[in-house]
Amino acid sequence: MTWRSPLALVRDALRGQRAREKDLRNLASNLPYEGLEKAKQPNCYFPGNAIKTTKYTLLLFIPMNLFEQFHRLANIYFVGLAILNFVPVVSAFQPGVALIPICVILSLTALKDALEDFRRYQSDRKLNNTPCFIYSRKEQQFIKRHWKDVRVGDFVKVVCNEIVPADLLLLHTSDPNGVCHIETSNLDGETNLKQRKMMSGVCISDPEFEPESFNSAVVCEKPNNNLNHFKCYVEKPNKEKVGAGIESLLLRGCTVRNTDHAVGFVVYAGHETKAMLNNKGPRYKRSKLERKLNTDVIFCVILLFTMCLIGALGHFLWLQALPGVPPYLVPDGNGHLDSPSLSGFYMFFTMIILLQILIPISLYVSIELVRIGQIFFITNDIDLHDEGTDSRVQCKALNITEDLGQIEYIFSDKTGTLTENKMVFRRCSIMGTEYAHKENAIRLAVLDVPVSEEEVILNQQPRPPRIGWSLDTEDSNPEDKWHHHDNRRKSKVTGNAQSDAAFSSLLEAEVIPDRKLLQQISRAESSSSSRNIDPYLDFFLGLAICNTVVVSMATARRQRVSGFSRSDQTSSPLDTLSSLVKKSGSLQHIFPSWQHKPKKNRTISEDSVEEEDHVKPPVKIEGSGDTNKLRTCSLHTPSQSAMTPDNLSYEAESPDEAALVYAAKAYGFTLLARTPECVTVRLPSGEDLVFEVLDTLTFDYNRKRMSVLVRHPITKEYVLYTKGADHAIMELLGTPYTEYLSGKQKNIAANTQHHLDCYAKEGLRTLCFTKKVVSDKAYESWSVNRQRALAAIDNREELVMDTAVQLETDLSLLGATGIEDRLQESVPETIMALREAGIQVWVLTGDKTETAVNIGYACRLLEEEDLVINMSCGNKFACTSMLDCTLEEVRRYSEDPRNVDTTQNISLVIDGRTLTMALSSDLQKRFVDLAKRCRTVLCCRVTPLQKSRVVTVVREQLNVMTLAVGDGANDVSMIQAANVGIGISGQEGMQAVMASDFAISRFKHLKKLLLVHGHWCYTRLANMLIYFFYKNVAYVNLLFWHQFLCGFSGSAMIDYWLMIFFNLFFTSVPPIMFGIMDKDVSAEMLLGVPELYRTGQGAGEYTFTTFWISMLDAFYQSLVCFFIPYLAYRDSDIDVFTFGTPLNTISFFTILLHLSIEIKAWTVVHWVIMLGSVALYFIVTLAYSAICVTCNPPSNPYWILQRQMADPMFYLLCIITTVVALLPRYMFHVLRNSIAPSPLVKARHLDRLDPSTRDQCMKEWRSFRGIAHVRPFRLSTPPSPTLETPVDIHPHSSATSDIMWDERHH
Amino acid sequence: MVKEEQELANRPDNTAFTQQRLPAWQPMLSAGIVIPGFVLIGLAFIGIGVALFVTSRSIQVLELDYTGVGQNSPCYKCTYPNVSNCVCDLDFSIDSLFKGTVFFYYGLSNYFQNFRKYGVSKDDVQLSGDLTNFKSPSDTCSPYVYDSNNQPIVPCGSIANSMFNDTFQLFQKINGTKTLVPFDGKGIAWWTDYNIKYRNPSVTPLKNAFNSTVKPIFWSKPAYDLDISDPANNGFINQNFLVWMRRAALPNFRKLYGRIDEGVYAQGLPAGNYSLAIAYNYPVLSFDGRKKVVFSNVSWMGGKNEFLGIAYLVIGSLCILMSIVMLIVYAKFKFPEED
């Protein structure tokens, strides 16, 4: 390295800074500059690919860590106290000794941080040294280097199944179509393959790709964390600009699949890659308990100051009362005595030092430890483990476990959360004619029959390769298929048993065609005249083409290489534990971090991968795993060629797309291949049509539709197939479809709408399909606009969307489909249980009202006898008046004497538009007031933003604990707005999971997570906190009472080391164990009687009262612990520390036995820890008193405990004092449990019974409550809408019915 | 099925511990269950209480205040200022035999040996016989480290400086003649104190160790001359010194001065008239203190202490009472499952 002037260095640094901060970056190839020094490199300002996620460096660890730790107010407080102790006039202890507790705490935390950081360092190093191929000009080929050597401007080659080392702009792939398949599960958890297009024409790539020919400049935006967005253009030397977006970007962390190799240009490296920018680490929320805790800490501070003030005042008065100078009053060095007031002033600070333990120093550390333990147990719960996806519950937020026990409102998404999000094609309507698909319905009904255990096992036997009953040949006729029913059913059962969550399971893959429709198609096929314009054929072509489904071959079975996700490294459970406490992020926080069974190390060697491909069935059953497995089997039948339809598996971004493609396949329209340029569809006739894809207008939430523009191979027409939500499509319908159908067009739309409404009532998801033929001229002009929009850097999204909207007009309706989204298992039970637990469940969905209401009934969110208030209105005035009269009505109803003390079974259904008005600031209060009185609220057609708004409004207005649960990207804002956000790792990717605090895999897991773990975590932590405060006050007060007998001089009668040990060792483990392991009621009881959950809601166990009761108890106990020994030793020759020893021992026993009273269930661990603490106390104290001869003045505890333990008085004193101290609490518990037992106590009683009796009792308990809930309804008739509400506001039959008392009596 | 198990690498261990199903003992605190416990504890406490009470009753104690506050007090004369080497005789009589070894204590009231600054004012290293700390005592002894001539004070510190310096001689008066009742001053301090904790420097004669040091300001004799009669009882291992150095926990305390266990008095102090000759040196009136002497015999439970016996009796009875209350509660509110 040559010498450079500091000025140049500064200049370079500034220039680099500027280059990094610019909105647009100009990147050039590094190759021409190869071998030059760094400063001459064109891209030298951008960071390299080496990553460093460590927080500290070796040299600066101590100062940086201390700085970090002193962000905690408590730590500053304690250090302040320790420093205070160095001021001679106020010191209470030996100055050095006072530093010990804070040093221990700080060093423990530092040690923990250091260990974590070391682990991060190790994984960084491993990642940085992962091999990769970089092009070198010298060698004229790609040479093997490491990830850390990759720089912006390099050309990197990635081979199949390898992980992309940096964000690459794709320039070349081995695929003839110029695509590269990637899997992004490391980034967003989506397991389906995605296609990336290469940028063509910027490099010579024929016959061999030559990076050196790259002489363009790449202009890209500043790095950002949006995984689905990227803007860049390549400026060729001739100033021609070619735009590129996310579809040409290979993201760091993705895995290349199905593509032999790909070469890309590095645009972002290292920390600037999107993967790294997305890596934010665990979230930190403050729990409700913690907020309360902090106010109590402030109470403690006030208490401390009061006590210190008493001490100071007492000292002053005591000095004043002295008639002379007694020999025990020590003057200062000059023989001068301070005045009483000055001494009193000093004494205040001495007292603070003496009584500092009142503010529990180890509290925060203990809480952290308890939470780690609680999370350990939650994540290890086998009931919360999903067999299908082999995923555990993940705790991403580390400090809100206890909030799970206090939830009052749940906001749930519908699709994918309540339902499987496994779409099953049910019915369709084409050209206004309904095809009911009855056989298919029967088949699905058969599947619903629960499968007995034996059958499942039986079916686990190796089965013969599946003979394709589902249209492997084109002469598909229904009768033929019907014969295979048995066979089919068997394989179906197997499929289900093996993997519930297989993405495109047989359920979707198999559709039994409707006979009538089949005939219709064959008729259309045969009549060659209308061959290419028949709406039936067009409908199915639309089904097959209008999507983004990727076809993958079974032969290209992908093997997951999990080198990137660091959580896959072999690590012990202990490591995981400590990783939980991590404060800063490393990648592993994003990715599922609980796969910790040591796995065998997979090498990225291709050979072994391929070997495994064939020998082993996929280890993880994920995304289309099931179908693939079947295909793998069928591979062995020699006759099948690679292109048979049976060999295909579809990978879709959303499951309904796959369902539609499968449906089309069932009718013979098989999607054979899809590349960015063309789509191949096999027609029922066996003919393969290759459509040239001109453009794909992707789905977005605003348009609620997507389109594919293709060129028909035969007619050469430009055809636009559009599918979308009915309301998004219906208003775009234009000219009639074809001339010969012209008269019917209006009818078709009306009929289809009618069918759609029927579908919605059945709870089906509906989609409309349309076609549009675009004229050549129109296409050309549009195409220019489109290109311009795509190349734009500013406002690109809007421009692209505008072009999409431009094209999607004058559509002709083909038909509609109804897809069933089946309820997840145990959803109704879960909702019932949650409701019994006193939790209000709201459903916020983007679906139609009818669909939502239907699902509401299906999952027992709405009951038959409920009053359903349907709110839907067009303008604000109507909305206001409606809110008012509904509220009035509901109020009147609840004030009805016959309905007193009953839960009102009123439900509210509201649509998005009305919701917007209801949530406006002036109506907000009324809406919340109304919603509060309703048992269930269903919000339909809401946008993601509205979801979060609803959550925020309810949380803030009602001041309640809210939980939001969802699975999709549209739930992210809601999940973040709620106190507790739960993500369901379902079919829609991992965005919800990544934003969530907890991630579960099934909705039903919510029941145990809340009712059992939530309850436990809350009661455990609440009781632990109360105990912690009690413990400190009870102990410190011994010192306080002693002040009254030592002239308020701040002297202690307990050796300071023992005091430290007392808090740090003797009594620290039991409360932590208590906080982790105590079990007030068994899981069975909590699940069986959800009502028990109510104890945690609202205030719960940790309230103002309980806190102060335990404080009072602490005062009482310390009084007893001090004054009984005092009275016993009064007028004797006992010395200071001999007096302190029994006090310490008594206090120790009292504090431990106090905990024993609170412990509800004693397991082996409890016994070991409790007895271990006692043993530790005696061993340490005895050893200390045997060793410490002249140490630690003034106490010199030498041989004190030994002498005491030889004295019977010591034992007699310990026994009686402990008994007297604990008697009130014990009696209180006994009497309360006997006279007015809480539900929890009753539950504990039931717990002791044998299981059969217990179940009986549980049933009785529940049914008793159940009747209490239902009965009042029979007593009083619900208000009738005709009574008072003005008629004009709620016309009953109107489509925009404003208010509707939907009273169902079946 | 076995294969499937293997595939689920992520499945948590199904153990009693991880699933929180460890067998547990769940004590239920309710009236019915605690009755036997209360009765047992109550009876046991009453038993212990009776034993303690009876034992305490059998202990004889004689306390005599000799501060000399009242004009009639024999030591009144010694309370004048400017009186030195004052000796006063305290006459008393014992009605019945003081059984066993009689312990003789001196007591002080309103004397705060537990005062914090007072408590730290000593040098443990010096007291363990380290000669370097003879020359430069620890700062903790301030202000009693050096005298006005900058000579180190040994033993330094406030505790040593304020050592109690009244001395007592007990005489039995039989027919007008005074017989000395000897105090046994050996072994009145803790064994560990004069064998391990406190050591004299290993210099013979002991006096030489104290060269170029001065005695504490309040002391009349240097440390090596505390007990003229027994050379082994001098310096830092002087028993009275050790007793004083073990600071009392409470402001009203007594400290052992000697035992009466020799000769004719081995079986106790016979009834009769006695006279206690007190060398009155220690000033207590400046802080409203009181001085007293105490004769007491001891039992297994130490000195007389009625409190503990009474406490046991009260709590025992309370437990019995509680069990009765519990019985009523139990009868009224029992759980059906408990049958």
Side-chain angles (χ1 to χ4, degrees), chain A residues 91-92 315 318 322-333 347 350 376-377 379-382 385 387 390-392 460 497 594-597 617 619 621 1013 1016 1020 1042 1045-1047 1049-1051 1077 1079-1080 1124 1126-1139 1157 1160-1163 1165 1167 1189-1190 1193-1194 1196 1198-1200 1203 1208-1209 1212-1213 1215-1216 1219-1220 1223 1226-1227 1229-1231 1233-1235 1237 1241 1244-1245 1247-1249, chain B residues 1 3-4 7-14 17-34 38 41 45 48 52 63 105 110-122 124-125 128 141-144 158 162 189-193 196-198 218 246-256 282-283 285-288 292 300-302 305 307-308 311-313 315 318-319 322 325-326 329-330 333-335 337-338:
Chain A
S91 70
H315 190 63
W318 182 83
L322 281 179
V325 180
Y328 50 80
L329 219 55
V330 186
D332 64 14
M347 192 49 63
T350 308
F376 170 78
F377 278 122
T379 48
N380 266 292
D381 191 334
I382 200 157
H385 170 257
E387 306 257 314
D390 189 25
S391 56
R392 300 180 183 196
Q460 296 294 322
W594 281 101
Q595 335 172 330
H596 289 284
K597 291 283 176 61
V619 179
I621 308 168
H1013 289 295
W1016 279 348
R1020 284 168 178 174
H1042 185 241
L1045 298 170
C1046 69
S1049 62
S1051 89
M1077 297 203 46
K1079 195 159 111 177
D1080 54 348
I1124 289 186
Y1126 163 72
L1127 290 171
Y1129 286 121
R1130 199 177 40 169
D1131 283 338
S1132 73
D1133 57 348
I1134 190 116
D1135 76 274
V1136 175
F1137 292 97
T1138 314
F1139 177 64
I1157 295 178
K1160 306 298 191 301
W1162 289 74
T1163 65
V1165 184
W1167 286 110
V1189 180
T1190 56
N1196 306 122
Y1198 188 67
W1199 222 250
I1200 288 178
R1203 262 182 87 106
M1209 276 288 280
L1212 290 172
L1213 204 58
I1215 291 170
I1216 189 147
V1219 168
V1220 174
L1223 207 58
Y1226 194 74
M1227 285 303 294
H1229 272 275
V1230 168
L1231 289 177
N1233 290 359
S1234 305
I1235 294 171
V1241 173
R1244 285 172 59 203
H1245 268 287
D1247 247 348
R1248 293 156 63 93
L1249 305 175
Chain B
M1 280 314 245
K3 200 172 140 204
E4 201 170 308
E7 283 175 10
L8 297 173
N10 221 356
R11 185 214 286 269
D13 296 334
N14 193 1
F17 175 70
T18 53
Q19 300 310 312
Q20 308 192 55
R21 276 188 275 103
L22 283 177
W25 172 59
Q26 291 175 283
M28 283 299 301
L29 299 177
S30 68
I33 291 158
V34 298
F38 268 103
I41 291 175
F45 273 27
I48 296 171
L52 281 175
E63 280 190 19
Y105 301 90
N110 212 12
Y111 192 101
F112 288 79
Q113 262 204 315
N114 55 14
F115 201 78
R116 181 172 54 85
K117 283 183 178 163
Y118 177 79
V120 297
S121 184
K122 60 172 179 172
D124 281 314
V125 184
S128 67
C141 288
S142 168
Y144 305 106
S158 188
S162 64
W190 288 24
W191 186 90
T192 50
D193 281 0
I196 295 160
K197 224 159 127 177
Y198 294 80
F218 285 8
R246 196 158 271 283
R247 293 181 297 126
L250 304 166
N252 300 336
F253 60 89
R254 60 193 185 196
K255 284 182 180 288
L256 194 55
Y282 207 72
L285 288 178
S286 64
F287 54 94
D288 273 345
K292 66 183 176 189
W300 58 268
M301 56 169 279
N305 187 345
F307 168 77
L308 210 56
Y312 264 97
L313 283 174
I315 300 301
L318 203 67
C319 284
M322 284 296 180
V325 172
M326 291 296 164
V329 170
Y330 176 61
F333 297 98
K334 67 178 169 183
F335 286 100
E337 303 91 56
E338 279 176 24

Side-chain angles (χ1 to χ4, degrees), chain A residues 771-787:
Chain A
K771 179 190 173 180
K772 178 191 180 182
V773 179
V774 186
S775 67
D776 292 9
K777 221 174 89 191
Y779 170 71
E780 252 136 52
S781 69
W782 179 80
S783 165
V784 172
N785 279 340
R786 180 75 173 175
Q787 287 309 321

Side-chain angles (χ1 to χ4, degrees), chain A residues 549-575:
Chain A
V549 169
V550 176
V551 185
S552 72
M553 300 293 154
T555 39
R557 175 65 211 146
R558 53 208 155 101
Q559 173 74 37
R560 295 178 159 269
V561 183
S562 22
F564 189 80
S565 151
R566 296 182 212 168
S567 51
D568 274 2
Q569 291 163 16
T570 316
S571 57
S572 68
L574 211 76
D575 289 342

